[in-house]
Amino acid sequence: MAAIEELPSMHHASSEERVIPTTDEMMEKGLGRFGWVEFVQCILVSFAMFFDAQQSFITIYTDDYPKWHCTNSTLCSSDSNICKIPKSSWSWDGPVHQTVISQWNLECASSFVTGLPQSSFFIGCLFGSFLLATLADTSIGRKNMLVMSCFSMSVVSILIVFSTNVWIYSAFKFVIGFLRSTIGTVVLVLLTEKVSTEWRFTVGIVEYFCFTLGYMSLPGIAYANRFNSWKTVYVWASVPAICYSIVAYIFVTESPRWLLMQGRTQEAMAMLNRVSLVENGDDLTVSLIEAPVNKQKASIFQLYSSIAELFGRGWALKRMVAIMVLGIGIGMVYFGMPLAVGNLGFDIYLAVVFNGLMEIPSCVATYFLENRRRKPSILVFSIASGICCIMCVVVGSGIQGVRVGLAMTSFFSACTAYNVFLIYIIELFPTSVRNTTTSLVRQAIVFGNIFSPFLISAGRKNDIFSYGVFGVVIMLSCVTLLSLPETRGLALCDTMDQQEKKDDMSV
């Protein structure tokens, strides 16, 4: 009888000792399912990159240096420098308003003037990344920031058609760059925070694929409007983006991790319950209620509290500096090589198509690298890209086929390194500062690309200023990998304390 009487107390002790899973573990289980609804959400969010790619590379055609022909054979020949012969002795092959170069008579302008519009775009991206970086981490949220950025970027892209000279045009490019600066960051963060570790790499591939489709759509738009004004190209790229912004506002859902960090537990629970694989709903509820809250009010000081939190810890500061330097090198080749296709002396429509086709096997390669270590993957493809860039200088324009092949291989390698690099950034930092850190790294990438248009313009005369510089920079940047940790297979953390504890345990 005594043994029977002890049973209730033993059961009570057992229930008290029941271990409640951590928030990280419950979030992983809660986000474990990936069905058709989650796939559609992934596509909706990722498609913003389609329009982001168009705005990033649209100057390949709108700011192109058009072909010309002689109209007076006594004063002009195919080898003539059009800046040293009478204007009446030559003419553009297409309409004068085909590009900004021909419309505003910039054929003899300096590399600074011709490279200024695209450089202004990158400067705008730099300022935008700095000033808007933390907004998606605060009360605005991931979804609203994505919709606002895409919509405003598209509206200004239509207004750019009212430019009357290169200076006003460059000012509009600055504003476009400023407004689109957060799109890539918010898309990547929103995607990865809505799925578990198992699906994180896969949804990243969808983002890259949409970016590739946007890039590859440009030749079709430009070719269809090859006899029209460059302004038409901007309109064709902007109107669909405005329509997308409306659709995204209606159907895209917010990140459950962000909702949780803002103290909006009920909304996070409702979202997780729709996709949850957790058998015991009580565990999920308790874990979410006990989750750390990082709710911030939108004051001028609190908006940038995540930056202060990030740089207040030595390990985080060292990690940020290293990853930003690496981003400069990889980003310079990733964005520079497509913008430099006009220097290859190859058909500009086919060159962009070939470049875009290189991104498809790059996405496939990235998918198969999902279970591989991040650091070696980035190192191998970055070094390969740098070597091919330098070989483009060595080969020169004498063997065009080989040169084009080397440029395509360099771009493929840079794409693969860049794809893995973006996932690597997400895994290095916790939710509380993830959007901020990703934005800061993208600032570093953009900073390096501010100089790319000038290098590409100077590279029309000597490849060493474009391909040579690209190759050296990307290979030197890989040295920073020595100071960065490996992140493959690790679950995402929500706070800086959790991240620090996890890093200490892995040492």
Side-chain angles (χ1 to χ4, degrees):
M1 289 294 293
I4 296 176
E5 290 175 355
E6 289 177 2
L7 287 177
S9 62
M10 292 175 61
H11 175 75
H12 179 68
S14 175
S15 63
E16 288 182 346
E17 294 175 0
R18 184 170 63 89
V19 178
I20 298 176
T22 65
T23 304
D24 284 343
E25 293 171 344
M26 296 312 298
M27 286 294 291
E28 284 294 308
K29 291 181 180 179
L31 295 171
R33 193 172 75 89
F34 192 81
W36 281 107
V37 174
E38 292 71 41
F39 178 74
V40 171
Q41 280 290 313
C42 177
I43 296 296
L44 279 174
V45 174
S46 298
F47 214 73
M49 298 303 296
F50 181 93
F51 305 106
D52 183 57
Q54 290 182 334
Q55 294 298 330
S56 297
F57 298 110
I58 197 170
T59 52
I60 294 175
Y61 296 105
T62 60
D63 298 14
D64 183 34
Y65 196 100
K67 294 181 179 181
W68 57 276
H69 61 274
C70 294
T71 57
N72 188 334
S73 58
T74 60
L75 300 175
C76 171
S77 68
S78 58
D79 298 326
S80 298
N81 183 339
I82 59 176
C83 297
K84 296 181 179 179
I85 57 177
K87 178 71 175 176
S88 58
S89 63
W90 63 274
S91 179
W92 299 112
D93 287 357
V96 174
H97 53 261
Q98 184 177 16
T99 74
V100 299
I101 298 292
S102 56
Q103 179 166 355
W104 294 326
N105 301 314
L106 302 177
E107 61 273 7
C108 298
S110 65
S111 298
F112 173 79
V113 174
T114 55
L116 182 62
Q118 186 63 17
S119 183
S120 297
F121 173 83
F122 286 124
I123 294 174
C125 293
L126 182 64
F127 277 88
S129 295
F130 179 75
L131 296 175
L132 307 177
T134 62
L135 294 183
D137 281 333
T138 55
S139 57
I140 292 180
R142 308 339 189 183
K143 171 190 171 180
N144 290 336
M145 197 68 206
L146 174 64
V147 173
M148 289 167 53
S149 297
C150 194
F151 182 80
S152 57
M153 171 195 74
S154 305
V155 171
V156 177
S157 183
I158 291 178
L159 296 178
I160 202 172
V161 303
F162 297 106
S163 302
T164 55
N165 56 56
V166 69
W167 311 107
I168 297 177
Y169 177 69
S170 297
F172 272 114
K173 293 295 292 184
F174 173 88
V175 176
I176 292 173
F178 181 87
L179 295 173
R180 58 73 58 188
S181 59
T182 62
I183 292 178
T185 300
V186 176
V187 167
L188 186 60
V189 171
L190 185 56
L191 283 174
T192 53
E193 288 185 352
K194 294 174 76 169
V195 297
S196 64
T197 303
E198 178 185 1
W199 294 100
R200 188 191 310 156
F201 217 90
T202 303
V203 297
I205 297 296
V206 177
E207 180 201 3
Y208 309 143
F209 187 70
C210 288
F211 190 85
T212 301
L213 289 178
Y215 175 62
M216 291 185 66
S217 70
L218 283 173
I221 295 174
Y223 188 79
N225 293 282
R226 64 190 182 281
F227 300 120
N228 298 324
S229 171
W230 56 270
K231 299 177 181 180
T232 310
V233 179
Y234 274 101
V235 173
W236 276 44
S238 303
V239 173
I242 292 176
C243 297
Y244 162 79
S245 301
I246 298 172
V247 172
Y249 179 76
I250 297 173
F251 295 106
V252 170
T253 58
E254 186 54 89
S255 160
R257 287 183 179 271
W258 177 83
L259 291 172
L260 189 61
M261 293 301 295
Q262 293 296 308
R264 295 161 62 175
T265 309
Q266 295 300 323
E267 294 177 62
M269 288 173 56
M271 185 176 299
L272 288 173
N273 285 334
R274 291 196 296 267
V275 298
S276 178
L277 289 179
V278 181
E279 296 179 1
N280 190 341
D282 293 336
D283 285 347
L284 178 61
T285 302
V286 172
S287 295
L288 291 181
I289 291 175
E290 296 182 349
V293 178
N294 192 38
K295 194 172 183 179
Q296 301 172 349
K297 295 180 182 179
S299 72
I300 188 65
F301 301 104
Q302 290 171 318
L303 280 177
Y304 296 96
S305 61
S306 57
I307 294 181
E309 182 183 12
L310 179 65
F311 292 142
R313 309 196 184 211
W315 65 269
L317 179 59
K318 292 178 182 178
R319 188 173 293 185
M320 274 302 304
V321 172
I323 201 70
M324 287 171 76
V325 172
L326 181 61
I328 290 176
I330 297 176
M332 182 172 282
V333 179
Y334 179 74
F335 286 97
M337 292 299 286
L339 292 172
V341 293
N343 292 5
L344 292 174
F346 195 65
D347 183 276
I348 195 169
Y349 300 104
L350 290 178
V352 173
V353 171
F354 290 158
N355 255 335
L357 290 174
M358 287 297 100
E359 292 215 40
I360 295 177
S362 171
C363 289
V364 175
T366 306
Y367 178 80
F368 285 106
L369 290 172
E370 176 180 2
N371 296 318
R372 301 287 182 178
R373 297 174 62 191
R374 310 299 192 232
K375 291 171 62 177
S377 299
I378 295 173
L379 177 63
V380 170
F381 284 99
S382 296
I383 295 297
S385 178
I387 292 174
C388 289
C389 279
I390 293 175
M391 289 302 297
C392 284
V393 179
V394 175
V395 171
S397 58
I399 312 177
Q400 190 182 66
V402 175
R403 190 164 179 245
V404 171
L406 287 169
M408 298 300 105
T409 304
S410 175
F411 184 61
F412 161 78
S413 301
C415 284
T416 307
Y418 187 74
N419 292 347
V420 179
F421 173 75
L422 291 181
I423 297 296
Y424 188 45
I425 301 169
I426 293 294
E427 297 172 336
L428 282 173
F429 297 95
T431 303
S432 60
V433 296
R434 186 171 296 121
N435 197 85
T436 300
T437 53
T438 309
S439 294
L440 290 174
V441 173
R442 286 181 179 270
Q443 283 184 48
I445 294 172
V446 169
F447 177 77
N449 280 295
I450 289 174
F451 307 99
S452 294
F454 303 127
L455 293 171
I456 293 168
S457 185
R460 291 192 180 105
K461 298 179 181 179
N462 192 331
D463 286 333
I464 199 169
F465 293 116
S466 53
Y467 298 122
V469 173
F470 292 164
V472 171
V473 170
I474 191 173
M475 288 194 289
L476 289 178
S477 69
C478 292
V479 176
T480 61
L481 281 169
L482 297 175
S483 63
L484 293 169
E486 181 57 57
T487 61
R488 177 178 63 89
L490 300 180
L492 297 179
C493 295
D494 284 328
T495 67
M496 293 290 281
D497 290 335
Q498 291 174 2
Q499 185 73 54
E500 190 169 344
K501 183 179 180 181
K502 180 179 288 187
D503 291 343
D504 290 340
M505 293 176 61
S506 62
V507 174

